[in-house]
Amino acid sequence: MTVLAHRTDTLTRDALAVLQPGFEGTTAPAWLLRRVGEGLTAVGLFGRNIASPEQLAALTAQLRTERDDVLVAIDEEGGDVTRLEVRGGSSFPGNLALGAVDDTDLTRDVARELGRRLAECGVNLNWAPSADVNSNPDNPVIGVRSFGADTHLAARHTAAYVQGLQAAGVAACTKHFPGHGDTNVDSHHALPRIDVDLDTLAARELVPFKAAIEAGTKAVMSAHILVPALDPTRPATLSPQILTGLLRGELGYEGLIVTDGMEMNAIAGTYGIERGSVLAIAAGADAICVGGGLADEATVLRLRDALVAAVREGALPEERLADAAARVRALAAWTRGARPDAQSEGSRASGIGLTAARRAVVVTGSAKPLTEPYVATLAPVANIAVGDETPWGVAAELAELLPGTAAGVYPEGSSAGDVMAAAGDRTVVVVVRDAHRHPWMTEVLDALVAARPDTVVVEMGLPMAAPRGAVHIATHGASRVCGRAAAEIIAGA
């Protein structure tokens, strides 16, 4: 092999190594296995790839026939954002519920059990937890994915989550650096901007990430957000000042830096995924997450070739690409050698998710058991991170406890009259999700409570400033176990 051919082969393998692509289907396609054999070191899984734990274990085993240290990544936050249980809802409450309980031992145990389940299926990198401080209640994409609006609460639970997950042998990926909590735009759709000064960033956004670094997080995910106080021109994912200067330099972080999904419009709509990927690696990122929406071989080849071309043209230093690939391979080697701690290996924390969800519920008013209620779910459009395929609410769980339960789903445009007509003489249980962000929902809710003072209100998003209804139940999340915990209260179970 000539020197030029060897260099080309090395560049190609390094370019493949920094990609974390997705794919379609519940088995690995031939093209993916071929690219793993050629140097692709990581694969991202989404809900479309998972049918059951047994199928997932077979899929990850199939990937490891090509290389035994392949990183298999997933976006499994628990709570509202689940891929393992995308069709039925998560067996774990999300971050806001854990923050509401504020027991770091519980958070650590929940993360350890979630990690154990991932590891059992062959998944070794989790794009979680969210360390964002939800300082803006109108945030359309973080919300219940955050441990809360209190900086130090978010920091201690982020650290506990990282410790629990990695105790099970699964690498944590703390996100979204330098903090996505103070935005009012979803980066899936556009580029958010955070206009705060450096002192505020240091005292609020950065504190949970410092805690995660001290806890040993193996990866950090960048945010597609513009923070002018740090870099007035480029979003964090593409910013040398933020990734290399702040995260590597000032915070001393040495682990893997992963980008958020590059097909998200904040990057794809402004830079394009090829240029964006080159800029991200040049800025200090080590791994390119792509595949939530783009999940084919052509995308992988486009990005591989863009990185190789950038090196040859001098737009990307060859040493920077090599360093990024080396960090990916180092994490892959860690996961291959990682062993769960004795507690993760020796026991299953049976029912810990439901236990945590029960502890997170806050009830205002005196709950009296109902017999044949009517459950009206006021359903907003779900954000892309959560997805609209995962069921939520209390109707299904309540019907198991009270077989006479009736239910209906009401999208925007529905009225209180629609609900009351369907409910008849039944007591109404109205279920909402972030009612404060949806004026139509608040209008329907207020009209129902005024006309039916015995209405029971279940808020499964951020708790309302002023509880409503004869009984108000705040679950701090919309996972299946959060719905079960609320249903038990309604049924008097």
Side-chain angles (χ1 to χ4, degrees):
M1 180 182 291
T2 66
V3 172
L4 179 60
H6 177 74
R7 179 170 180 263
T8 299
D9 183 63
T10 299
L11 281 177
T12 299
R13 292 185 69 82
D14 285 350
L16 281 173
V18 303
L19 303 180
Q20 293 188 352
F23 61 95
E24 299 285 347
T26 53
T27 58
W31 71 261
L32 183 65
L33 295 173
R34 183 168 62 253
R35 301 305 172 190
V36 170
E38 292 173 359
L40 186 68
T41 310
V43 173
L45 299 180
F46 298 87
R48 63 176 178 251
N49 305 123
I50 300 169
S52 69
E54 296 75 20
Q55 167 270 324
L56 179 55
L59 169 58
T60 58
Q62 183 186 16
L63 290 168
R64 291 193 171 95
T65 60
E66 296 297 325
R67 59 181 304 158
D68 63 359
D69 66 343
V70 66
L71 287 168
V72 181
I74 197 169
D75 193 4
E76 182 58 47
E77 299 176 14
D80 292 29
V81 179
T82 180
R83 310 301 178 225
L84 279 183
E85 299 178 277
V86 66
R87 292 167 183 81
S90 180
S91 300
F92 301 92
N95 284 4
L96 189 66
L98 294 171
V101 178
D102 196 14
D103 177 346
T104 53
D105 288 338
L106 178 67
T107 296
R108 190 176 296 105
D109 289 344
V110 166
R112 182 187 286 113
E113 174 61 12
L114 178 58
R116 186 195 63 75
R117 294 192 192 184
L118 290 172
E120 204 170 57
C121 295
V123 177
N124 53 15
L125 171 60
N126 191 8
W127 293 320
S130 168
D132 308 297
V133 179
N134 198 57
S135 53
N136 186 345
D138 291 327
N139 195 315
V141 68
I142 301 300
V144 298
R145 300 168 66 197
S146 166
F147 288 109
D150 180 273
T151 298
H152 297 289
L153 178 145
R156 61 180 174 265
H157 286 277
T158 295
Y161 198 104
V162 167
Q163 292 163 350
L165 196 61
Q166 294 186 171
V170 175
C173 182
T174 305
K175 59 188 183 186
H176 308 77
F177 187 83
H180 209 310
D182 192 17
T183 62
N184 58 11
V185 172
D186 185 343
S187 50
H188 291 90
H189 302 298
L191 179 62
R193 177 185 176 110
I194 297 182
D195 285 305
V196 297
D197 57 34
L198 290 174
D199 289 342
T200 301
L201 287 167
R204 188 179 66 187
E205 270 74 20
L206 298 184
V207 174
F209 290 97
K210 291 179 180 178
I213 292 169
E214 290 173 4
T217 186
K218 294 296 179 180
V220 169
M221 178 177 283
S222 66
H224 301 332
I225 57 174
L226 187 67
V227 189
L230 297 173
D231 187 332
T233 59
R234 287 187 178 177
T237 294
L238 312 183
S239 170
Q241 293 96 310
I242 294 175
L243 298 188
T244 299
L246 176 59
L247 183 54
R248 290 273 188 235
E250 292 184 37
L251 300 187
Y253 176 64
E254 293 296 332
L256 191 74
I257 299 177
V258 183
T259 72
D260 207 344
M262 296 300 284
E263 70 271 37
M264 292 165 63
N265 211 41
I267 298 297
T270 52
Y271 294 87
I273 63 167
E274 293 98 333
R275 181 171 177 242
S277 296
V278 169
L279 290 174
I281 297 296
D286 305 306
I288 301 296
C289 176
V290 65
L294 299 172
D296 54 24
E297 184 177 21
T299 299
V300 172
L301 298 181
R302 282 165 56 198
L303 297 182
R304 180 200 66 183
D305 294 347
L307 290 167
V308 170
V311 171
R312 288 176 173 165
E313 294 163 5
L316 174 62
E318 185 172 353
E319 297 77 11
R320 171 78 276 268
L321 179 61
D323 174 62
R327 290 181 189 274
V328 174
R329 294 177 186 125
L331 180 59
W334 178 86
T335 61
R336 182 174 55 184
R339 294 291 180 267
D341 65 12
Q343 187 171 346
S344 299
E345 198 169 41
S347 65
R348 293 170 179 261
S350 178
I352 191 172
L354 180 55
T355 297
R358 287 169 175 157
R359 290 181 62 185
V361 171
V362 175
V363 180
T364 304
S366 180
K368 298 178 181 178
L370 304 181
T371 52
E372 294 185 341
Y374 182 80
V375 180
T377 303
L378 308 187
V381 175
N383 69 57
I384 293 176
V386 173
D388 57 10
E389 69 269 50
T390 303
W392 66 281
V394 304
E397 298 294 333
L398 193 54
E400 287 187 10
L401 300 172
L402 300 176
T405 298
V409 177
Y410 297 85
E412 184 173 1
S414 304
S415 69
D418 296 332
V419 174
M420 289 187 287
D425 294 333
R426 295 169 180 259
T427 300
V428 174
V429 175
V430 59
V431 185
V432 296
R433 195 176 191 177
D434 288 339
H436 69 285
R437 291 200 303 106
H438 303 284
W440 71 270
M441 197 181 293
T442 302
E443 182 180 338
V444 173
L445 180 60
D446 287 344
L448 276 172
V449 171
R452 300 279 189 92
D454 63 343
T455 295
V456 175
V457 178
V458 182
E459 169 60 271
M460 304 194 79
L462 292 184
M464 300 173 186
R468 292 168 169 83
V471 178
H472 182 274
I473 302 171
T475 62
H476 300 91
S479 70
R480 178 175 56 81
V481 288
C482 290
R484 179 71 183 191
E488 290 174 346
I489 293 167
I490 295 166

